[in-house]
Amino acid sequence: DTAVSQTPKYLVTQMGNDKSIKCEQNLGHDTMYWYKQDSKKFLKIMFSYNNKELIINETVPNRFSPKSPDKAHLNLHINSLELGDSAVYFCASSRSFSGELFFGEGSRLTVL
Amino acid sequence: GESVGLHLPTLSVQEGDNSIINCAYSNSASDYFIWYKQESGKGPQFIIDIRSNMDKRQGQRVTVLLNKTVKHLSLQIAATQPGDSAVYFCAETPRIYHGNKLVFGAGTILRVKS
């Protein structure tokens, strides 16, 4: 039973398209995150939500819009995809006030 | 493998030897530090953490050392096993709060030779 699951695992799309990645956690955590990992393995936080409230919103283009319908779900919608958006996107969750993040397996986005 | 082409620091160790992975951090305000392990094709996995009021913490086969004077963090793995082969990241944050902004380092590849 996967703790943090995200779909799809792979996404190949054309520039200019809009796509979404979904994430669900069954750990009962209050906080969820989106991280982006580039081709050099560099991991950078994009957003974090606590109890459905946006807490962290890093310098991310407005084309990226997270949405948390409830504490167990955090989705990421990307408009007008660009080549530079190609990366692996990781969803994670944690208890509030904990640095122990539980990551999903990642969604590899390739923009052609 | 997935690490081909990556220009991350690489540590190669013989199975059974001890490994030491180092990390330098720049934010002197950082209060909390964590090590994560990322195996090929998977998400990062928490290994061990340490707060700035400590200089050493031990887990199962792992030890984290913190030197705040020189802003240096290390992860020691005892009796390294093939399953320890992965990319290791240190992460830091000025404080733990309900949102938790962890800043990850660049990563070190650990290769274990059998």
Side-chain angles (χ1 to χ4, degrees), chain A residues 45-101:
Chain A
I45 189 166
M46 300 172 70
F47 305 101
S48 84
Y49 273 75
N50 180 264
N51 284 312
K52 301 194 299 173
E53 179 189 353
L54 181 64
I55 302 296
I56 295 173
N57 184 351
E58 285 295 282
T59 310
V60 176
N62 290 338
R63 299 182 294 103
F64 290 79
S65 50
K67 187 170 283 188
S68 181
D70 56 58
K71 285 192 331 182
H73 295 84
L74 180 63
N75 304 323
L76 182 66
H77 188 76
I78 316 169
N79 290 325
S80 305
L81 279 156
E82 300 178 358
L83 293 177
D85 297 331
S86 295
V88 181
Y89 292 84
F90 285 100
C91 176
S93 73
S94 73
R95 294 189 310 274
S96 297
F97 304 100
S98 172
E100 183 174 358
L101 274 57

Side-chain angles (χ1 to χ4, degrees), chain B residues 11-102:
Chain B
L11 176 66
S12 292
V13 299
Q14 198 65 39
E15 181 179 358
D17 288 351
N18 297 335
S19 303
I20 301 176
I21 301 170
N22 296 305
C23 176
Y25 64 94
S26 56
N27 188 354
S28 54
S30 287
D31 178 58
Y32 180 70
F33 305 87
I34 314 103
W35 281 100
Y36 279 83
K37 170 188 180 184
Q38 186 177 21
E39 296 178 46
S40 182
K42 295 188 176 181
Q45 181 182 12
F46 175 91
I47 303 172
I48 192 168
D49 58 1
I50 189 168
R51 288 198 181 272
S52 62
N53 61 355
M54 302 171 70
D55 52 24
K56 180 178 179 178
R57 191 160 186 229
Q58 287 185 284
Q60 190 176 15
R61 273 202 314 121
V62 294
T63 301
V64 56
L65 299 177
L66 175 62
N67 185 330
K68 294 181 289 293
T69 304
V70 295
K71 290 187 278 191
H72 183 267
L73 191 68
S74 69
L75 177 71
Q76 299 178 1
I77 305 173
T80 315
Q81 301 168 1
D84 294 327
S85 293
V87 179
Y88 287 80
F89 295 95
C90 63
E92 58 177 299
T93 184
R95 63 187 177 96
I96 285 291
Y97 61 107
H98 57 297
N100 293 338
K101 181 179 173 180
L102 293 185

